[in-house]
Amino acid sequence: KDVAPLPSCLAQVRKFVGQHTPGYEYGGVMQALVECLDLMLIEHASTVLQCQEQFRNGELTLKDVQLRLASTLDSMSVLSRSCTVVQDQKGGALLNSLRELQLNQYQGDENAHRILHRLLESAAVPFMSRLREWLGQGVLSDDPHQEFMVQRKHSKSWSEKYVVSTENILEGHFAKTTTIHQVGATGRYRNAARLCDKKMLDQSDDDTTELTYVASAASMSSYVRAKHEQASSALQQLLM
């Protein structure tokens, strides 16, 4: 297999990482993605150095080296393509772009799926952290780049103060309209309860459930439904 495109793919990924480092202006999801890409570049460099050393020591033939580089090219081409599709994306929309790439362009490609799975899992950490905080405490951390699926608006109307950002809804995780509605309502209920009872302002969510991107739609719906029921019950008790 011709490995001539490898330097070009590698240069594109390095350029992307350099342009988005430290990346505060691109949001937390992009930062997490770039950190993962940077780590994978380091791993690539280590693999190349190892090949060179083994070749010099006679442990690898030229054909062996070419085969390893061909495998590296496959991986680097996936990273290069990933950089292209997320170039102007942020937050949930960025994650959706990577997921679409995984499903539509690399169907049946186990290596590509493994790479994109790793990218998605890493890049989704800030999003999942916000989701857990919103569902557990009704708190929206500063989100200057509007990356999360719930946004705070400057409105006097309680019903319009928090709205769902459709472009940041994770595809494949929130397939049902009911679940999306429950995400928005749960945080509002938690927020209202905290305003009604000042003691709750100092309370933290003791739920240790770890939310990850690999969670299925069914498990995510179940988690959201449970949080919605807890928040609704807590608010009702305060208002009785």
Side-chain angles (χ1 to χ4, degrees):
K1 182 175 181 178
D2 183 14
V3 296
L6 179 57
S8 176
C9 291
L10 182 59
Q12 182 180 357
V13 178
R14 283 175 173 165
K15 180 180 180 180
F16 182 87
V17 170
Q19 290 175 334
H20 294 82
T21 301
Y24 302 119
E25 66 270 32
Y26 300 104
V29 173
M30 179 64 85
Q31 278 184 276
L33 173 65
V34 169
E35 287 175 3
C36 184
L37 287 169
D38 192 36
L39 178 59
M40 295 176 82
L41 285 175
I42 293 173
E43 292 171 354
H44 162 75
S46 177
T47 298
V48 171
L49 287 174
Q50 185 180 38
C51 281
Q52 290 177 339
E53 184 175 351
Q54 290 179 323
F55 179 69
R56 284 196 299 265
N57 294 337
E59 299 174 23
L60 293 178
T61 65
L62 182 59
K63 185 176 181 180
D64 292 331
V65 173
Q66 290 175 330
L67 287 174
R68 291 198 182 186
L69 289 178
S71 176
T72 300
L73 172 60
D74 290 338
S75 299
M76 203 55 60
S77 65
V78 174
L79 296 183
S80 176
R81 181 60 183 154
S82 299
C83 292
T84 299
V85 300
V86 304
Q87 183 67 46
D88 299 315
Q89 302 288 345
K90 60 183 179 180
L94 184 155
L95 297 172
N96 287 336
S97 293
L98 284 178
R99 178 178 181 271
E100 183 178 351
L101 178 67
Q102 183 184 45
L103 294 178
N104 296 338
Q105 296 192 31
Y106 292 106
Q107 192 70 27
D109 188 330
E110 292 185 6
N111 182 55
H113 271 251
R114 177 182 58 79
I115 292 170
L116 286 164
H117 172 87
R118 181 177 175 183
L119 292 178
L120 281 164
E121 186 74 358
S122 297
V125 170
F127 188 100
M128 292 301 175
S129 177
R130 288 182 186 278
L131 177 62
R132 192 175 181 283
E133 190 176 43
W134 172 248
L135 294 175
Q137 297 179 271
V139 173
L140 279 182
S141 299
D142 289 340
D143 188 13
H145 303 287
Q146 298 184 330
E147 299 180 85
F148 189 50
M149 63 183 291
V150 177
Q151 296 293 321
R152 182 189 295 109
K153 300 296 181 181
H154 297 292
S155 174
K156 295 181 179 179
S157 171
W158 182 256
S159 62
E160 297 177 358
K161 188 174 182 179
Y162 299 102
V163 299
V164 174
S165 170
T166 55
E167 68 174 2
N168 288 319
I169 297 173
L170 297 188
E171 298 172 0
H173 290 74
F174 303 103
K176 296 181 179 179
T177 303
T178 301
T179 305
I180 297 172
H181 170 75
Q182 288 176 339
V183 170
T186 300
R188 282 195 291 267
Y189 293 162
R190 295 282 191 192
N191 193 277
R194 287 162 63 87
L195 291 176
C196 291
D197 186 354
K198 299 296 185 180
K199 295 180 180 178
M200 295 186 67
L201 293 174
D202 298 324
Q203 294 181 3
S204 59
D205 182 21
D206 57 3
D207 181 8
T208 58
T209 302
E210 183 180 2
L211 291 183
T212 64
Y213 189 84
V214 296
S216 66
S219 62
M220 184 65 76
S221 293
S222 177
Y223 179 83
V224 171
R225 183 169 58 253
K227 286 296 185 182
H228 180 264
E229 292 173 355
Q230 292 171 8
S232 177
S233 176
L235 182 59
Q236 287 178 6
Q237 290 179 14
L238 284 174
L239 296 178
M240 288 178 63

